[in-house]
Amino acid sequence: MTDRRRRAEYALALGAVAAGAAALTGASGRTWARAEIALSGPAAPAPVVVTGDDTAPAAFATGLAALAAVAALPATRGLARRVLGGLVALFGVAGLAAVWRGTRPAALQDLAADRSTAHGAVEALHVSALWPGLAAAGAALLVAAGAYTLVRGAAWPSMGSRYDRHSAPGTGRSSDPAELWKSLDSGADPTLDTGPGAGDRPADAHGRAAPSPATRTRHEHPKEP
């Protein structure tokens, strides 16, 4: 698989997790149902509004956890990313279960009756299809994106992969202070080039590497003003 395809898969999964989490958290604060509580006498029924936070508080919590996973995915790699993908899938399952429990008519009627100050029976119940449906879609998207990350996430690039080549040990002079002091005691000049090719030049009487031909030329024939 090419690097371009890996990056495309990674971006798609990351966007799916972000979209699913946003759908869960956004839909939770909306009105999921409206109920009418019967009052005694000729008075009109009292309206009661039930939001997603009221009937399915776990949906908002799992959405927040999935949003945190959006920030954690770029910082992980290998097995850690696969484990995080499994957690995202579990967040989606928990969100689906919360939406299902929160949209049952019996649960909504009991909640509406508890929230009403009229202490009457629920005369009518109207359940919205938009916001609970959006929350369920977001949870399902988390399940799919998390499962895909669990299977394929180990092959995707990570946030620090582009900097890995800069962290490789160099071949130049040592930065250890003890080694520098040893070089000074032996008479070696630590400012001279000790990189590749330096060992091919002969040493002088003090054990220092002889200057390169280009350096000798510059010293022997200084540039005239």
Side-chain angles (χ1 to χ4, degrees), residues 120-138:
V122 176
E123 188 175 85
L125 179 68
H126 307 282
V127 181
S128 173
L130 175 60
W131 301 115
L134 181 61

Side-chain angles (χ1 to χ4, degrees), residues 24 32 55-56 59 94-104 131-133 135-136 139:
L24 264 180
W32 284 24
T55 186
L96 283 174
V99 172
W100 176 78
R101 289 193 302 266
T103 53
R104 290 181 302 166
W131 301 115

Side-chain angles (χ1 to χ4, degrees), residues 1-7 9 148 152 155-156:
M1 182 181 295
T2 62
D3 290 340
R4 179 176 298 180
R5 182 175 177 182
R6 292 190 184 97
R7 289 193 296 267
E9 288 183 354
Y148 193 67
R152 298 287 308 156
W156 298 340

Side-chain angles (χ1 to χ4, degrees), residues 17 20 23-24 27 58 67 69 84 95 100 112 121 142 145 155 184 200 215:
V17 174
L24 264 180
L67 282 178
L84 187 59
W100 176 78
L142 289 179
L184 290 174
D200 299 335
T215 305

Side-chain angles (χ1 to χ4, degrees), residues 171 192-203 207-210:
T171 57
L192 293 178
D193 183 17
T194 59
D200 299 335
R201 298 196 295 269
R208 296 175 297 185

Side-chain angles (χ1 to χ4, degrees), residues 109-128:
Q109 289 178 359
D110 293 341
L111 182 60
D114 292 340
R115 290 178 58 85
S116 175
T117 58
H119 303 291
V122 176
E123 188 175 85
L125 179 68
H126 307 282
V127 181
S128 173

